[in-house]
Amino acid sequence: MILITGGMKSGKSTFALNMALKYTKRAFLATGVPFDEEMRLRIEKHKAERKELFDTFEEPVNVTEVLKNIDNNYDVILFECLTTYLGNLYYYQLDVQERIDGLVDVLSNMSSDVIVVTNEVGWGIIPENPIARQYAEILGKTNTRLAKLAKEVYLVVSGIGVRIK
């Protein structure tokens, strides 16, 4: 597994896409849901960037099942992104910790290479509400767990990926 992290709009997605293009057989696991116009436009932009170069699987919450089903069928699976997936778990009021634990377990047993894109959300001000603070804490702890499992970790800043592991 390769973990790619960074701030919002730091260039993580483009960096991950370019990394995945080095593989022959590619899958893209998209977690975004077009809840509003801004998100719809963001999803369309990502689709245009990857063109027809990936087999795309769109799944907002049952990502572990998708990963298990497509493992071994692709050289690489680009999972975009953990941050949105976690938000979806909150939105649909699912058992967040159970789903995250399941995801970490599946990722630790994958045969295909997996590139996971996530965000560093703890570098700003502390959120003013308990749910946002819990979200930031769970994402940070999950990023830490995945970084320990990953063979490579990159921090993307201003479009530049810096290998930190």
Side-chain angles (χ1 to χ4, degrees):
M1 182 188 46
I2 299 169
L3 184 67
I4 299 175
T5 189
M8 204 169 121
K9 297 296 181 196
S10 63
K12 299 178 307 295
S13 297
T14 301
F15 184 81
L17 213 62
N18 288 333
M19 183 175 281
L21 289 175
K22 297 173 185 170
Y23 294 83
T24 304
K25 196 164 185 191
R26 301 173 289 264
F28 190 95
L29 175 52
T31 61
V33 178
F35 291 118
D36 58 24
E37 183 63 12
E38 184 267 335
M39 191 62 173
R40 186 191 67 75
L41 292 172
R42 184 180 290 185
I43 290 169
E44 291 304 317
K45 177 184 170 256
H46 282 287
K47 285 181 179 179
E49 283 179 338
R50 66 180 181 267
K51 303 172 185 146
E52 300 295 324
L53 301 171
F54 292 78
D55 290 341
T56 300
F57 299 85
E58 296 179 348
E59 178 51 55
V61 294
N62 295 314
V63 299
T64 56
E65 288 81 4
V66 173
L67 287 168
K68 287 190 273 189
N69 288 336
I70 65 175
D71 190 22
N72 286 317
N73 297 322
Y74 294 92
D75 301 326
V76 69
I77 301 165
L78 177 47
F79 173 33
E80 174 88 30
C81 76
L82 177 61
T83 312
T84 302
Y85 170 64
L86 181 59
N88 293 343
L89 297 179
Y90 277 94
Y91 179 81
Y92 291 109
Q93 299 179 347
L94 300 170
D95 186 327
V96 172
Q97 197 59 58
E98 179 183 318
R99 296 280 181 140
I100 291 297
D101 289 344
L103 175 64
V104 172
D105 183 56
V106 167
L107 288 171
S108 68
N109 292 299
M110 296 287 292
S111 296
S112 298
D113 283 355
V114 181
I115 300 171
V116 178
V117 177
T118 189
N119 283 53
E120 291 298 326
V121 298
W123 288 356
I125 56 175
I126 297 170
E128 55 84 28
N129 70 73
I131 292 175
R133 287 191 299 273
Q134 182 184 50
Y135 173 91
E137 182 177 334
I138 289 175
L139 183 62
K141 287 180 177 180
T142 304
N143 287 347
T144 300
R145 290 172 71 187
L146 294 180
K148 286 179 184 175
L149 290 174
K151 68 177 180 179
E152 297 174 30
V153 179
Y154 293 87
L155 174 64
V156 181
V157 179
S158 300
I160 300 168
V162 180
R163 186 172 178 171
I164 57 175
K165 177 182 175 185

